[in-house]
Amino acid sequence: MPKNLTPFLTVQNLSLNFGGLRALNDFHLSLPAHGLHGLIGPNGAGKTTAFNVLTGIYQADCGSIRLGEKNLNGLKPFQVTQAGLGRTFQNIRLFGNLSVLDNVRMAFHLRSRETLWSAVLRLQTFRDDEAAVKSQAMKLLEIFHLENRAEELAKNLPYGDQRRLEIARALATSPSVLLLDEPAAGMNSQEKKQLSGLIKNLREQFKVAVLLIEHDMGLVMEICEHITVLDYGEVIAEGTPHGIQNNDRVIEAYLGQETTL
């Protein structure tokens, strides 16, 4: 972790077994507020499993997860999101048959204070809330250059646009920490370059910390301030991009991989 920065997301001693298979063993991580942290490792190292534990999809056998002063242990995924931990997925999980705009609006409604009765009765407070949500959603789509496709079905967007829409939807939940699971997967070199700038800008604009899983080491080394390396569910190294590039255990773990550190 960068010096002189207080941890905001603190993960300690997380372990998870699937039957006789240990998927995570003593996983730990510290992410400061507004930090940009990479989580890397060979295929099958446990990176997405770690994300699934952090976001409540899996419950760890032991260990602790704290977001600021909040204890996230035992929370369901929607409760983790409400606490301030947003995420995207390795395999895009948009509502394909809904419009681009509605995908983002649904995420905003997670924090809506309107009641079922105000919606059923179409009260003025409900109509005002709906107008505000639409306005906020359109502003978010503008940031991602998707405003002109707001009424299109999400499934009809090009792949790179779907990736950006998923990030926009995650941001609509107002996270303090954003988990990005392979956001550059399937993107061409130009799209990856744009994504790199987008992630750095989002951190500043939304005052959000970013934890990034990514196989594109060029992207990771360019934008991340600190990196944690997993192999077989265990942390084998953590440090700056320069230190990770020259770490013997990391190089050994990647032997036989196409990735160039």
Side-chain angles (χ1 to χ4, degrees), residues 11-29 45-46 49-54 58-65 73-74 230 232-235:
V11 183
Q12 296 179 321
N13 310 119
L14 282 189
S15 294
L16 175 66
N17 293 297
F18 293 123
L21 174 66
R22 174 147 288 195
L24 289 176
N25 184 33
D26 194 28
F27 174 67
H28 56 275
L29 181 146
T49 298
F51 266 28
N52 287 339
V53 173
L54 295 179
Y58 300 150
Q59 295 296 325
D61 298 321
C62 62
S64 66
I65 308 166
N73 288 72
L230 274 179
Y232 294 106
E234 295 189 1
V235 175

Side-chain angles (χ1 to χ4, degrees), residues 11-253:
V11 183
Q12 296 179 321
N13 310 119
L14 282 189
S15 294
L16 175 66
N17 293 297
F18 293 123
L21 174 66
R22 174 147 288 195
L24 289 176
N25 184 33
D26 194 28
F27 174 67
H28 56 275
L29 181 146
S30 293
L31 176 62
H34 310 151
L36 216 170
H37 194 117
L39 180 61
I40 67 172
N43 289 329
K47 303 180 297 295
T48 295
T49 298
F51 266 28
N52 287 339
V53 173
L54 295 179
T55 54
I57 295 174
Y58 300 150
Q59 295 296 325
D61 298 321
C62 62
S64 66
I65 308 166
R66 297 195 69 85
L67 185 63
E69 298 300 317
K70 302 171 186 174
N71 181 3
L72 303 188
N73 288 72
L75 297 186
K76 299 181 184 301
F78 80 91
Q79 294 171 319
V80 173
T81 302
Q82 289 176 332
L85 205 62
R87 76 170 291 182
T88 66
F89 291 85
Q90 182 177 359
N91 299 313
I92 296 173
R93 297 189 184 182
L94 296 172
F95 298 104
N97 289 319
L98 293 181
S99 71
V100 169
L101 177 60
D102 283 343
N103 266 270
V104 178
R105 283 203 295 201
M106 287 187 69
F108 273 113
H109 279 301
L110 181 69
R111 295 189 177 277
S112 174
R113 297 179 181 179
E114 290 306 309
T115 66
L116 174 62
W117 283 114
S118 67
V120 171
L121 298 174
R122 308 293 294 182
L123 298 179
Q124 185 62 45
T125 55
F126 171 77
R127 294 196 296 271
D128 292 343
D129 186 66
E130 283 294 290
V133 165
K134 182 176 181 180
S135 175
Q136 290 175 304
M138 287 302 299
K139 288 178 182 177
L140 200 50
L141 290 178
E142 288 175 13
I143 292 172
F144 286 84
H145 306 294
L146 292 170
E147 70 275 16
N148 293 331
R149 314 195 77 154
E151 300 304 327
E152 294 185 33
L153 294 182
K155 66 182 180 181
N156 293 336
L157 292 182
Y159 187 84
D161 287 350
Q162 289 190 28
R163 281 284 178 194
R164 291 202 300 277
L165 175 57
E166 193 175 38
I167 298 173
R169 188 178 64 178
L171 283 169
T173 66
S174 300
S176 50
V177 175
L178 180 63
L179 309 184
L180 301 178
D181 194 347
E182 296 194 39
M187 289 187 173
N188 59 39
S189 58
Q190 181 60 32
E191 288 172 330
K192 288 179 181 179
K193 183 178 179 180
Q194 293 172 349
L195 177 67
S196 173
L198 178 65
I199 292 173
K200 289 186 283 190
N201 289 338
L202 290 179
R203 179 176 67 157
E204 298 302 321
Q205 186 169 356
F206 290 89
K207 307 302 180 187
V208 64
V210 177
L211 179 59
L212 171 76
I213 292 176
E214 186 51 64
H215 281 292
D216 188 313
M217 290 299 101
L219 178 63
V220 171
M221 297 299 168
E222 177 189 350
I223 69 174
C224 291
E225 300 156 337
H226 198 81
I227 298 172
T228 296
V229 187
L230 274 179
D231 193 28
Y232 294 106
E234 295 189 1
V235 175
I236 62 169
E238 46 193 329
T240 65
H242 177 74
I244 293 299
Q245 283 180 304
N246 296 283
N247 185 291
D248 289 339
R249 290 195 67 188
V250 177
I251 294 170
E252 181 181 356

